[in-house]
């Protein structure tokens, strides 16, 4: 047997096999987090808009009540003048 003979690939020494496993996320966590943040932002928007609308309604009702009170006061004063023209 000739020790100087070239080794064939089948006779060549083999190195231990390395198995590389890459773990990658599917992105579902990011999508879920983004959807949750978006949902909270939309809910906050509607709460703020509802509070603003309630404040506008309250202001309108208060203004209307003041106008009714002023009108009633003027009507009362006119009734007093009708009864007693000296006032």
């Amino acid at each position: 047997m000739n020790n100087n003979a070239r080794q064939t690939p089948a006779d060549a020494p083999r190195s231990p096999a390395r198995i590389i496993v890459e773990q990658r996320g599917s992105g579902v966590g990011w999508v879920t987090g983004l959807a949750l943040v978006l949902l909270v932002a939309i809910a906050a928007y509607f709460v703020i808009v509802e509070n603003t609308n309630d404040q506008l309604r309250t202001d309108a009702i208060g203004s209307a009540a003041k106008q009714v009170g002023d009108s009633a006061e003027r009507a009362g004063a006119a009734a007093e003048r009708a009864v007693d023209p000296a006032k």
Side-chain angles (χ1 to χ4, degrees), residues 37-47:
V37 167
L38 190 61
L39 182 65
V40 168
I42 290 170
Y45 171 76
F46 281 112
V47 167

Side-chain angles (χ1 to χ4, degrees), residues 10-73:
D11 295 337
R14 295 184 182 201
S15 62
R18 282 193 227 172
I19 299 174
I20 299 173
V21 177
E22 292 184 23
Q23 295 182 350
R24 296 183 183 181
S26 63
V28 174
W30 283 100
V31 172
T32 303
L34 182 62
L36 186 61
V37 167
L38 190 61
L39 182 65
V40 168
I42 290 170
Y45 171 76
F46 281 112
V47 167
I48 290 170
V49 167
E50 183 63 29
N51 285 341
T52 302
N53 287 342
D54 286 345
Q55 185 63 40
L56 291 174
R57 277 188 227 120
T58 301
D59 291 345
I61 290 171
S63 176
K66 183 175 181 340
Q67 289 175 356
V68 168
D70 292 345
S71 297
E73 195 173 306

Side-chain angles (χ1 to χ4, degrees), residues 2-16:
N2 187 355
N3 286 337
N4 293 333
R6 295 182 68 190
Q7 294 180 343
T8 61
D11 295 337
R14 295 184 182 201
S15 62

